[in-house]
Amino acid sequence: MEPIILASTSPRRQEILRSLAIPFSVMTPAYDEPHISGIEPEELTRIHSMEKVASVVRMRLSISVSWVLGADTLVCADDRIFGKPESREDARTMLQAISGRRHRVITSLSLYDSVSGSTTSKTSVSSVDFMNLDQDQINQYLDLGEWQGAAGGYRIQGIASCFISRIEGSWSGIVGLPIHELYV
């Protein structure tokens, strides 16, 4: 299998690729994820994943690159969209918003193919039911630091798995790289 470039520094995405025995190297995309109002979260994650890939492709134009993979994940509760929290208080706000409720986790991936010169995107939408958390539970979780760099302020593959009573959809999509969508 030909190696790919992962346009992400996410350790979770790297773990998923390693578990699938997909050879890859990592490049940090030169793209900040701005919030764009007035569009659906599925479209926002698609735009972000496409822009991450495009930034890496632009950086690597002088070197032959066969595949570049990028992804973006957001959490949605009602009409609110949560990316990565900027602070502990931001993470607290997110956890309070999803406490005792169902929310959606949306991950889009984009894959650039140098042979065709095109980029395709796919999106995974999953539902997650969170138990009702009291302030002590939220504080204890925040003390662990798992919220840092995690959309919605939690990681399903960590201690937060104790708070989840049900998921519908893709576990790997919730982690940050939907395997099924990558495969098909």
Side-chain angles (χ1 to χ4, degrees):
M1 174 178 271
E2 202 168 327
I4 65 169
I5 292 177
L6 176 61
S8 171
T9 57
S10 164
R12 275 102 8 232
R13 292 185 180 123
Q14 293 173 37
E15 288 169 13
I16 290 171
L17 291 176
R18 276 190 213 95
S19 74
L20 298 171
I22 296 174
F24 67 95
S25 60
V26 173
M27 282 193 71
T28 303
Y31 176 73
D32 292 321
E33 301 169 4
H35 178 73
I36 305 167
S37 58
I39 63 173
E40 293 298 314
E42 293 86 346
E43 180 65 8
L44 185 57
T45 58
R46 189 189 70 75
I47 289 169
H48 287 331
S49 69
M50 295 276 290
E51 290 297 326
K52 290 174 185 180
V53 166
S55 75
V56 167
V57 169
R58 283 190 298 272
M59 288 187 283
R60 299 291 299 227
L61 280 178
S62 62
I63 301 171
S64 175
V65 175
S66 295
W67 302 96
V68 178
L69 174 65
D72 188 62
T73 302
L74 294 173
V75 169
C76 301
D78 296 326
D79 294 332
R80 297 172 70 184
I81 298 174
F82 300 119
K84 298 172 188 162
E86 296 178 10
S87 67
R88 180 184 172 103
E89 287 311 306
D90 196 19
R92 177 187 311 283
T93 299
M94 293 177 185
L95 291 170
Q96 289 170 332
I98 63 176
S99 174
R101 308 189 57 222
R102 173 173 285 187
H103 61 276
R104 294 183 306 145
V105 179
I106 301 160
T107 300
S108 290
L109 63 84
S110 294
L111 186 64
Y112 170 78
D113 173 1
S114 66
V115 173
S116 68
S118 64
T119 303
T120 57
S121 293
K122 296 180 182 177
T123 300
S124 166
V125 180
S126 301
S127 294
V128 179
D129 292 351
F130 239 59
M131 66 182 268
N132 194 31
L133 301 173
D134 63 34
Q135 289 307 307
D136 286 339
Q137 290 168 310
I138 290 174
N139 284 329
Q140 289 170 2
Y141 184 71
L142 293 173
D143 288 344
L144 298 172
E146 278 189 0
W147 59 270
Q148 296 174 347
Y154 75 92
R155 298 187 199 287
I156 192 173
Q157 71 279 22
I159 297 298
S161 63
C162 297
F163 309 146
I164 296 169
S165 60
R166 177 182 173 152
I167 68 167
E168 292 176 10
S170 169
W171 183 87
S172 62
I174 297 167
V175 172
L177 187 62
I179 293 171
H180 178 73
E181 285 75 5
L182 179 60
Y183 180 72
V184 297

